Every structure is written in C-alpha cells, then in structure tokens.
Amino acid sequence: MALLRLREVSKRYGACRALHKVSVEVTSGGFYLFRGPNGAGKSTLFRCAMGMERPDSGVVEVDGTSIASNEYYQQVLKKYRPSYLGPDHALYAHLSVEENLLLRAQLSSREDAKGVTADCVERFSLSVFAKKRLSECSQGMQRRAALAACFVASPSIVFLDEPFVNLDTVSAELMQQELLSAHALGVTVCLATHASNIELPSEAKTVRLDQGKVCS
Amino acid sequence: MSSFLLLCQKDLRYLIRARGVALSTFGFALLLTLVSSFAFRQVGYSQQEMAEITPGILWLIFLFSGVIALGNGFSYEVENSAIRGPIFSGTDPSVFFLSKFVSNFLFLASLQLFVLLAHGVLFGIEYFGVFGELLLLALLGGMSFVALGTLFSAIAASLPGKDILLPLMLFPLSIPPVAGSVFLMRQVLLEQSYQWTDFWFLLLLGSCAISTVLSWALFAYVVRE
C-alpha cells in the first residue's frame, strides 16, 4: 500500500503553472529520486506532500487518508512523521548545533534524546563544531547539521530538496552514505537533486518532472 | 521536559545570547522615559495633574518599546524558517503559542517594571504604597497586548514591511485593555478607589481574556497558512 499518494495535483503561482495534474505514489521504505530542470515542480511537489502548500486541485493522501491542509499538523504529522530539508535549514541560529539536534529529538518525543543526539553528532561528523552556535558555522556545516536534524527525529519519510548544496565532495559522500544507511533501516527517501554522481540503491525509482508534469 | 518548557527554554536562550536585542529595547524604553520627562515634567504641572497624565505617558512607553520586543520575539522563528523544526516535529501550534506568549509576557513584564522604576526616578514621583497595584494593572493590560502581539507578530513576520505592519495591526486592537489599564492606574494615583465591578476593570479583564483565547485559537491557523 502506498504511504503517500498524490492524485492529479495541480498548483499555480499566479500565471506560473508549478504542477499540472501530477500523480505520484510513494511506497513505504522506497527510495525515490526526483529529477528535472529548474522550475520543473520538484520543490512544489515536496511542499504539497509535506502539507506546506495547499494544492489548487487534486488530492494528497497519506496511508489512504486524504490530507485536508487544516487538519495536517495534529492528525497527520504524528502518524506520518515526515522530515523535510528545503532551501532553508529550519534550525535556530542562536542555538548550538548540538542544542538544535537535541531540541528536535526532544520535541519529537524520542526516548533517550541525548543518546540519539550524540549518535547523530557522531554519524554526521559534527563533533568538531557541535558546541558552536549555528550562526557561527559555515554554510556547509549548517547544511550538514540540517541533514542530521532531519534524521534525529526518527522520521518514517524524508523529503530532501537539493540536500548536497554547499557541501564539499567528502561531506557530500558522507551524507549520501548516511542517506543510504537510513534507507536500509526502512526510512522512505524522496530526493530531489541535480547532482549526477550520487550512489543509489538498486531499487531506487526515478521520477522525472518537466514543466509541472511527470514525464516518466 | 514538556514541549512547552523546551520551547520556553529556547526563547530564554535567545534573550540571554542575543543580549543586544534586550539591551536595546530597555535602552529605547529608558530614552522614551527621559524624553517624556523633559516634555512633561518641566511644564510645571501640579501633583494632581501629573497623576492624571502619568498612566498615559507610561502606556505610550510600554506600547512603543513593547512592539519592538514583540517584533524581535518572532523574527528568529522565521529566520531560516526555524519554526518548521518544532512544527514538523509534531509540536502542537497551540503549545507553541503558549510558550511564545509566556516568554513575551515575561520580557514585557520586566520591561514594565523597569519603566515604572525609571519613570518614578525621572519624574520624581513617589510610588510608595501604590507601586504593586500600579504594576499589577500594567501587567493585566500587558497580558492582553502580548497575546495580540504574539499573534500579529507571527502574521507580520513573513510579510514585507513587517516593522510597520505589526503596530498598524496591533495598536487599534490594544485600545480596550490600554484604556482600562490607564483609567484604573489614574484612579490609583489619585487615591480614588474602584470596584471589581467597575466598567473599566471589567473592560480590562474582559479584553485580557478575549484577546488571549482568540489569539491562542487563531495562532494554529496562522502557523498552518
């Protein structure tokens, strides 16, 4: 059964058509790579799936239940447990990297939040700047911290929109490995990237978007 | 620790670490008090006339410095879309509102206490005996102001021209609690008694309750949109 299903979803921003009758199914534990040129609608698709955007028409379903935007937070977030990394890293600039991760883990009601945070700091090689405030970190470090924050909350599905931006080659490879590890543990991954040299699991499915439509 | 306490702790850390923001707000309030002392004290008002105008002066200072504090109180939530972290972690928006309301209220309360003390010194007014009652009435008005301000700062934070939008939305709706608080503070300074059932007291309490409940209920909708 599909974990997430978008049916005939359309979204416009003024005269610009971002999505046009897009239908996509994401099964639990799958790995989905979203490809397409700039303006193809990848980010809008992710935002609709996260409930951050209300589609003009069409339906977004989670576990077979249609998401009405107004009921999203209370009902769906707890069941669906999505994580999202977009252009902004969604972390507090005045908190340290470690404090940000701990806060996210605690708010997600993770048992042993401190242990989970320490583990995430280790896995994402954040120990050197874990005590630094986010505002004191470089763009690349902030991106790594944001990726770690996506996984500290034990998500069932992650939407990663260009997650490797600002990362050096070594960091990008490390993050890819962590992504594959998380997927191997059962996390559903939806990845939108222009990067061509990424390692994918054998069962990964590619969804191509162009001008707001699914091409394949 | 509950989500509420975790979020309050996060706000408290901001106030401690971004000391410049807190200090500049208190500095601005002190400057307003100083300017108003030159504008009003030197005119040669009698004791009674000073008691008549003091609550109004105090509330102008509370409003202008308070609106800066409220604007700052939400600005770091929209910086890098940080608010998405707690919300996508499943935090109930109403819990988020309560934590923000409490943090903002504690900050405004300390600002009001500071302004009352500074005003007493600069205007040469002896508040002995009525200080507690004046502070309580200021806090009640402040509670309503903060409840509305927390909601409107969330609305204005992501809009262009947020600095001017916030007072434009907030000040008109703050008239009932401010009017109630000003009238009762004047009664206290004039050593006139008032009853719990007086219109101005009911207006103050009513606007406190209505604005807090309304802002709490609407905040979730604002965050979702």
Side-chain angles (χ1 to χ4, degrees), chain B residues 192-206:
Chain B
Q192 292 173 358
S193 61
Y194 62 88
Q195 301 295 316
W196 292 87
T197 50
D198 279 358
F199 168 75
W200 295 105
F201 197 79
L202 292 176
L203 178 71
L204 180 59
L205 281 186

PDB file of all heavy atoms in Angstrom, chain B residues 192-206:
ATOM      1  N   GLN B 192      -8.116  57.348  44.495  1.00  0.00           N
ATOM      2  CA  GLN B 192      -9.565  57.106  44.462  1.00  0.00           C
ATOM      3  C   GLN B 192      -9.779  55.603  44.343  1.00  0.00           C
ATOM      4  O   GLN B 192      -9.033  54.926  43.638  1.00  0.00           O
ATOM      5  CB  GLN B 192     -10.188  57.806  43.253  1.00  0.00           C
ATOM      6  CG  GLN B 192     -10.134  59.323  43.369  1.00  0.00           C
ATOM      7  CD  GLN B 192     -10.597  60.013  42.087  1.00  0.00           C
ATOM      8  OE1 GLN B 192     -10.930  59.375  41.104  1.00  0.00           O
ATOM      9  NE2 GLN B 192     -10.601  61.338  42.129  1.00  0.00           N
ATOM     10  N   SER B 193     -10.776  55.111  45.024  1.00  0.00           N
ATOM     11  CA  SER B 193     -10.999  53.656  45.000  1.00  0.00           C
ATOM     12  C   SER B 193     -11.784  53.255  43.747  1.00  0.00           C
ATOM     13  O   SER B 193     -12.451  54.083  43.130  1.00  0.00           O
ATOM     14  CB  SER B 193     -11.770  53.234  46.251  1.00  0.00           C
ATOM     15  OG  SER B 193     -13.013  53.888  46.252  1.00  0.00           O
ATOM     16  N   TYR B 194     -11.683  51.990  43.420  1.00  0.00           N
ATOM     17  CA  TYR B 194     -12.511  51.448  42.344  1.00  0.00           C
ATOM     18  C   TYR B 194     -12.982  50.059  42.742  1.00  0.00           C
ATOM     19  O   TYR B 194     -12.372  49.402  43.579  1.00  0.00           O
ATOM     20  CB  TYR B 194     -11.739  51.413  41.012  1.00  0.00           C
ATOM     21  CG  TYR B 194     -10.515  50.529  41.025  1.00  0.00           C
ATOM     22  CD1 TYR B 194     -10.587  49.171  40.722  1.00  0.00           C
ATOM     23  CD2 TYR B 194      -9.263  51.062  41.362  1.00  0.00           C
ATOM     24  CE1 TYR B 194      -9.465  48.364  40.744  1.00  0.00           C
ATOM     25  CE2 TYR B 194      -8.134  50.261  41.386  1.00  0.00           C
ATOM     26  CZ  TYR B 194      -8.236  48.918  41.070  1.00  0.00           C
ATOM     27  OH  TYR B 194      -7.122  48.123  41.112  1.00  0.00           O
ATOM     28  N   GLN B 195     -14.096  49.658  42.175  1.00  0.00           N
ATOM     29  CA  GLN B 195     -14.689  48.362  42.500  1.00  0.00           C
ATOM     30  C   GLN B 195     -14.322  47.327  41.427  1.00  0.00           C
ATOM     31  O   GLN B 195     -14.030  47.685  40.287  1.00  0.00           O
ATOM     32  CB  GLN B 195     -16.224  48.484  42.566  1.00  0.00           C
ATOM     33  CG  GLN B 195     -16.723  49.493  43.597  1.00  0.00           C
ATOM     34  CD  GLN B 195     -16.381  49.089  45.012  1.00  0.00           C
ATOM     35  OE1 GLN B 195     -16.540  47.932  45.388  1.00  0.00           O
ATOM     36  NE2 GLN B 195     -15.892  50.043  45.808  1.00  0.00           N
ATOM     37  N   TRP B 196     -14.365  46.079  41.833  1.00  0.00           N
ATOM     38  CA  TRP B 196     -14.100  44.990  40.885  1.00  0.00           C
ATOM     39  C   TRP B 196     -15.144  44.967  39.770  1.00  0.00           C
ATOM     40  O   TRP B 196     -14.908  44.409  38.717  1.00  0.00           O
ATOM     41  CB  TRP B 196     -14.119  43.646  41.620  1.00  0.00           C
ATOM     42  CG  TRP B 196     -12.978  43.490  42.572  1.00  0.00           C
ATOM     43  CD1 TRP B 196     -12.940  43.909  43.876  1.00  0.00           C
ATOM     44  CD2 TRP B 196     -11.703  42.906  42.311  1.00  0.00           C
ATOM     45  NE1 TRP B 196     -11.719  43.623  44.435  1.00  0.00           N
ATOM     46  CE2 TRP B 196     -10.936  42.991  43.495  1.00  0.00           C
ATOM     47  CE3 TRP B 196     -11.137  42.308  41.192  1.00  0.00           C
ATOM     48  CZ2 TRP B 196      -9.635  42.516  43.587  1.00  0.00           C
ATOM     49  CZ3 TRP B 196      -9.834  41.828  41.288  1.00  0.00           C
ATOM     50  CH2 TRP B 196      -9.104  41.937  42.476  1.00  0.00           C
ATOM     51  N   THR B 197     -16.300  45.568  40.089  1.00  0.00           N
ATOM     52  CA  THR B 197     -17.384  45.523  39.099  1.00  0.00           C
ATOM     53  C   THR B 197     -17.442  46.786  38.242  1.00  0.00           C
ATOM     54  O   THR B 197     -18.339  46.928  37.410  1.00  0.00           O
ATOM     55  CB  THR B 197     -18.740  45.346  39.823  1.00  0.00           C
ATOM     56  OG1 THR B 197     -18.804  46.323  40.859  1.00  0.00           O
ATOM     57  CG2 THR B 197     -18.886  43.962  40.395  1.00  0.00           C
ATOM     58  N   ASP B 198     -16.473  47.679  38.417  1.00  0.00           N
ATOM     59  CA  ASP B 198     -16.460  48.904  37.608  1.00  0.00           C
ATOM     60  C   ASP B 198     -16.275  48.568  36.130  1.00  0.00           C
ATOM     61  O   ASP B 198     -15.592  47.596  35.789  1.00  0.00           O
ATOM     62  CB  ASP B 198     -15.303  49.823  38.037  1.00  0.00           C
ATOM     63  CG  ASP B 198     -15.680  50.624  39.267  1.00  0.00           C
ATOM     64  OD1 ASP B 198     -16.828  50.481  39.719  1.00  0.00           O
ATOM     65  OD2 ASP B 198     -14.821  51.364  39.776  1.00  0.00           O
ATOM     66  N   PHE B 199     -16.848  49.409  35.288  1.00  0.00           N
ATOM     67  CA  PHE B 199     -16.774  49.183  33.846  1.00  0.00           C
ATOM     68  C   PHE B 199     -15.325  49.026  33.385  1.00  0.00           C
ATOM     69  O   PHE B 199     -14.983  48.107  32.622  1.00  0.00           O
ATOM     70  CB  PHE B 199     -17.426  50.356  33.093  1.00  0.00           C
ATOM     71  CG  PHE B 199     -17.146  50.336  31.616  1.00  0.00           C
ATOM     72  CD1 PHE B 199     -17.801  49.439  30.779  1.00  0.00           C
ATOM     73  CD2 PHE B 199     -16.202  51.197  31.043  1.00  0.00           C
ATOM     74  CE1 PHE B 199     -17.524  49.406  29.415  1.00  0.00           C
ATOM     75  CE2 PHE B 199     -15.927  51.163  29.683  1.00  0.00           C
ATOM     76  CZ  PHE B 199     -16.596  50.265  28.878  1.00  0.00           C
ATOM     77  N   TRP B 200     -14.426  49.894  33.841  1.00  0.00           N
ATOM     78  CA  TRP B 200     -13.035  49.881  33.355  1.00  0.00           C
ATOM     79  C   TRP B 200     -12.295  48.624  33.791  1.00  0.00           C
ATOM     80  O   TRP B 200     -11.450  48.106  33.057  1.00  0.00           O
ATOM     81  CB  TRP B 200     -12.286  51.132  33.839  1.00  0.00           C
ATOM     82  CG  TRP B 200     -12.856  52.382  33.249  1.00  0.00           C
ATOM     83  CD1 TRP B 200     -13.636  53.309  33.890  1.00  0.00           C
ATOM     84  CD2 TRP B 200     -12.743  52.824  31.892  1.00  0.00           C
ATOM     85  NE1 TRP B 200     -14.008  54.301  33.019  1.00  0.00           N
ATOM     86  CE2 TRP B 200     -13.473  54.028  31.788  1.00  0.00           C
ATOM     87  CE3 TRP B 200     -12.115  52.332  30.761  1.00  0.00           C
ATOM     88  CZ2 TRP B 200     -13.578  54.738  30.595  1.00  0.00           C
ATOM     89  CZ3 TRP B 200     -12.207  53.036  29.571  1.00  0.00           C
ATOM     90  CH2 TRP B 200     -12.936  54.230  29.498  1.00  0.00           C
ATOM     91  N   PHE B 201     -12.635  48.148  34.974  1.00  0.00           N
ATOM     92  CA  PHE B 201     -11.989  46.919  35.444  1.00  0.00           C
ATOM     93  C   PHE B 201     -12.496  45.717  34.647  1.00  0.00           C
ATOM     94  O   PHE B 201     -11.710  44.841  34.255  1.00  0.00           O
ATOM     95  CB  PHE B 201     -12.248  46.723  36.946  1.00  0.00           C
ATOM     96  CG  PHE B 201     -11.302  45.742  37.558  1.00  0.00           C
ATOM     97  CD1 PHE B 201     -10.015  46.114  37.894  1.00  0.00           C
ATOM     98  CD2 PHE B 201     -11.683  44.418  37.768  1.00  0.00           C
ATOM     99  CE1 PHE B 201      -9.124  45.193  38.424  1.00  0.00           C
ATOM    100  CE2 PHE B 201     -10.795  43.494  38.298  1.00  0.00           C
ATOM    101  CZ  PHE B 201      -9.518  43.889  38.635  1.00  0.00           C
ATOM    102  N   LEU B 202     -13.804  45.711  34.396  1.00  0.00           N
ATOM    103  CA  LEU B 202     -14.368  44.615  33.602  1.00  0.00           C
ATOM    104  C   LEU B 202     -13.843  44.653  32.163  1.00  0.00           C
ATOM    105  O   LEU B 202     -13.584  43.618  31.556  1.00  0.00           O
ATOM    106  CB  LEU B 202     -15.903  44.689  33.611  1.00  0.00           C
ATOM    107  CG  LEU B 202     -16.564  44.402  34.956  1.00  0.00           C
ATOM    108  CD1 LEU B 202     -18.069  44.604  34.874  1.00  0.00           C
ATOM    109  CD2 LEU B 202     -16.258  42.977  35.435  1.00  0.00           C
ATOM    110  N   LEU B 203     -13.678  45.879  31.662  1.00  0.00           N
ATOM    111  CA  LEU B 203     -13.121  46.034  30.303  1.00  0.00           C
ATOM    112  C   LEU B 203     -11.704  45.469  30.244  1.00  0.00           C
ATOM    113  O   LEU B 203     -11.346  44.748  29.299  1.00  0.00           O
ATOM    114  CB  LEU B 203     -13.103  47.517  29.913  1.00  0.00           C
ATOM    115  CG  LEU B 203     -12.514  47.842  28.534  1.00  0.00           C
ATOM    116  CD1 LEU B 203     -13.447  47.376  27.416  1.00  0.00           C
ATOM    117  CD2 LEU B 203     -12.249  49.340  28.384  1.00  0.00           C
ATOM    118  N   LEU B 204     -10.923  45.780  31.272  1.00  0.00           N
ATOM    119  CA  LEU B 204      -9.535  45.304  31.311  1.00  0.00           C
ATOM    120  C   LEU B 204      -9.486  43.778  31.401  1.00  0.00           C
ATOM    121  O   LEU B 204      -8.786  43.117  30.622  1.00  0.00           O
ATOM    122  CB  LEU B 204      -8.814  45.938  32.508  1.00  0.00           C
ATOM    123  CG  LEU B 204      -7.348  45.573  32.713  1.00  0.00           C
ATOM    124  CD1 LEU B 204      -6.512  45.945  31.499  1.00  0.00           C
ATOM    125  CD2 LEU B 204      -6.785  46.278  33.950  1.00  0.00           C
ATOM    126  N   LEU B 205     -10.241  43.225  32.323  1.00  0.00           N
ATOM    127  CA  LEU B 205     -10.253  41.764  32.491  1.00  0.00           C
ATOM    128  C   LEU B 205     -10.826  41.062  31.260  1.00  0.00           C
ATOM    129  O   LEU B 205     -10.296  40.056  30.799  1.00  0.00           O
ATOM    130  CB  LEU B 205     -11.066  41.380  33.715  1.00  0.00           C
ATOM    131  CG  LEU B 205     -10.403  41.531  35.083  1.00  0.00           C
ATOM    132  CD1 LEU B 205     -11.306  40.961  36.165  1.00  0.00           C
ATOM    133  CD2 LEU B 205      -9.052  40.820  35.137  1.00  0.00           C
ATOM    134  N   GLY B 206     -11.918  41.619  30.753  1.00  0.00           N
ATOM    135  CA  GLY B 206     -12.591  41.025  29.588  1.00  0.00           C
ATOM    136  C   GLY B 206     -11.682  41.017  28.368  1.00  0.00           C
ATOM    137  O   GLY B 206     -11.569  40.005  27.673  1.00  0.00           O
TER     138      GLY B 206
END
